[in-house]
Amino acid sequence: MPTTAPSPKLSTAFEQGGTPLADATASDSALRRFLFGLPGVDAVGLEARAASLGTRSIKTTAKAYAIDLAISMIDLTTLEGADTPGKVRALAAKAVNPDPTDRTTPRTAAVCVYPDMASTAAGALAGSGVKVASVATAFPAGRAALDVKLADVRDAVAAGADEIDMVIDRGAFLSGRFLKVYEEILAVKAECGPARLKVIFETGELSTYDNIRRASWIGMLAGADFIKTSTGKVATNATPANTLLMLEAVRDFRAATGVQIGVKPAGGIRTTKDAVKFLVLVNETAGEDWLDPHWFRFGASSLLNDLLMQRQKLSTGRYSGPDYVTVD
């Protein structure tokens, strides 16, 4: 169970600011009042708590459970200009059967690709239960007209994407055009149809924790199924502190609305030790309800190999080394 309760200020902060939750998106000024009525982030306290939770150790049986859980939460990702159908099919095969020497190894949650590779991934993953995730909306910069972004989403969904990972317009956000960001997410959500929507903030470009909290609430209010830290294409991606902040946001949002939203840290999570730290953050902040691939994901490409090596060590007592896992 989480050790931190929802903010006591949450239930009253919006009314005190003159903007009840239901009316927060009625106008640009209402949304601004709402966002600036959110409790300010204590940066020192946030980072100290994230660091403290990162020191938690777990026993062998719990570690085995955590490794399998982390594998099942991975969005196995290839987002390179040199991607080919063969590379995507190979990645899909690895997602379905991560360790050919041990068929008890869980499958990953999804394979994440560019929209033009979504049909290839869908064909390779058909019937496996592994989802096809596709980045869209002019990923990673998001610098395109709205009709172009929506066409990008339509193409990905038509090609078989089960999930869409969109990027927000950081320029609009940083210049204070919050309603534009909200309305764009709303429009993308409408184009997703049955596909789940992950909204990427690119936290490394938002500068402050207060901005990350505001972006989280914009995304949740607009109907995001997940909020996601980053594209993996900038210097600062997922960190324990920014992920902790987003976990607090989804926890508080569910307390206020009854709606549960997922969280996806992406970029820079490479080792089993890193993954376990993030799982501790989830358990101690949002709670056990989020310890499920439906509600928490890792955006990663290299993480899986380290998880597999650590899993092999737990089962055999020997550390096999990187030559015993496939190269992505």
Side-chain angles (χ1 to χ4, degrees):
M1 295 298 292
T3 59
T4 53
S7 168
K9 298 179 181 179
L10 183 67
S11 61
T12 58
F14 314 131
E15 285 79 359
Q16 290 172 351
T19 310
L21 186 59
D23 300 328
T25 58
S27 67
D28 191 61
S29 59
L31 183 56
R32 181 178 296 275
R33 284 195 302 272
F34 175 89
L35 295 175
F36 282 87
L38 291 169
V41 179
D42 175 356
V44 173
L46 178 75
E47 292 174 358
R49 176 162 175 76
S52 174
L53 290 173
T55 65
R56 298 278 180 90
S57 61
I58 59 175
K59 296 181 180 178
T60 301
T61 52
K63 185 176 182 181
Y65 167 77
I67 288 173
D68 279 6
L69 182 59
I71 291 171
S72 75
M73 290 174 164
I74 289 177
D75 283 1
L76 198 56
T77 302
T78 183
L79 297 171
E80 303 297 334
D83 286 343
T84 64
K87 182 178 180 181
V88 170
R89 283 192 286 268
L91 201 67
K94 184 171 182 176
V96 174
N97 187 18
D99 184 354
T101 70
D102 185 350
R103 295 297 177 134
T104 68
T105 307
R107 297 172 177 176
T108 70
V111 169
C112 186
V113 294
Y114 277 112
D116 66 315
M117 290 292 171
S119 62
T120 299
L125 293 169
S128 70
V130 177
K131 303 297 185 184
V132 177
S134 178
V135 296
T137 65
F139 178 96
R143 310 308 303 181
L146 180 58
D147 59 344
V148 174
K149 294 180 180 182
L150 296 180
D152 205 22
V153 174
R154 284 194 297 272
D155 287 348
V157 173
D162 303 295
E163 301 171 355
I164 295 295
D165 290 35
M166 72 165 286
V167 288
I168 66 166
D169 185 337
R170 281 89 75 193
F173 181 92
L174 292 170
S175 59
R177 292 175 288 158
F178 302 124
L179 193 63
K180 180 181 187 296
V181 177
Y182 167 81
E183 290 176 341
E184 190 166 280
I185 297 170
L186 207 63
V188 170
K189 176 65 175 175
E191 291 292 343
C192 284
R196 298 180 81 201
L197 176 63
K198 307 188 195 93
V199 177
I200 309 169
F201 303 135
E202 200 68 288
T203 52
E205 293 182 349
L206 297 188
S207 301
T208 70
Y209 290 129
D210 284 326
N211 276 344
I212 295 171
R213 174 169 281 173
R214 290 168 189 145
S216 296
W217 278 85
I218 291 173
M220 294 186 297
L221 289 168
D225 297 295
F226 269 79
I227 54 176
K228 178 177 171 181
T229 60
S230 34
T231 63
K233 302 294 187 181
V234 299
T236 302
N237 294 291
T239 68
N242 62 34
T243 303
L244 172 58
L245 180 58
M246 291 166 64
L247 287 164
E248 290 176 349
V250 298
R251 176 202 64 196
D252 290 354
F253 188 79
R254 190 175 74 168
T257 67
V259 177
Q260 187 163 336
I261 308 295
V263 175
K264 179 180 173 180
I269 305 170
R270 297 184 176 89
T271 69
T272 300
K273 185 176 180 179
D274 290 337
V276 169
K277 287 180 180 180
F278 279 85
L279 293 178
V280 170
L281 287 178
V282 175
N283 187 63
E284 297 298 323
T285 306
E288 293 180 3
D289 287 351
W290 273 266
L291 286 174
D292 185 287
H294 196 72
W295 300 114
F296 191 79
R297 299 282 181 84
F298 292 106
S301 53
S302 60
L303 172 62
L304 179 57
N305 283 352
D306 192 71
L307 288 165
L308 293 175
M309 287 189 288
Q310 295 297 331
R311 192 178 192 274
Q312 290 167 3
K313 184 176 186 297
L314 284 178
S315 63
T316 67
R318 300 185 303 276
Y319 189 78
S320 60
D323 290 343
Y324 288 82
V325 293
T326 58
V327 178
D328 300 331

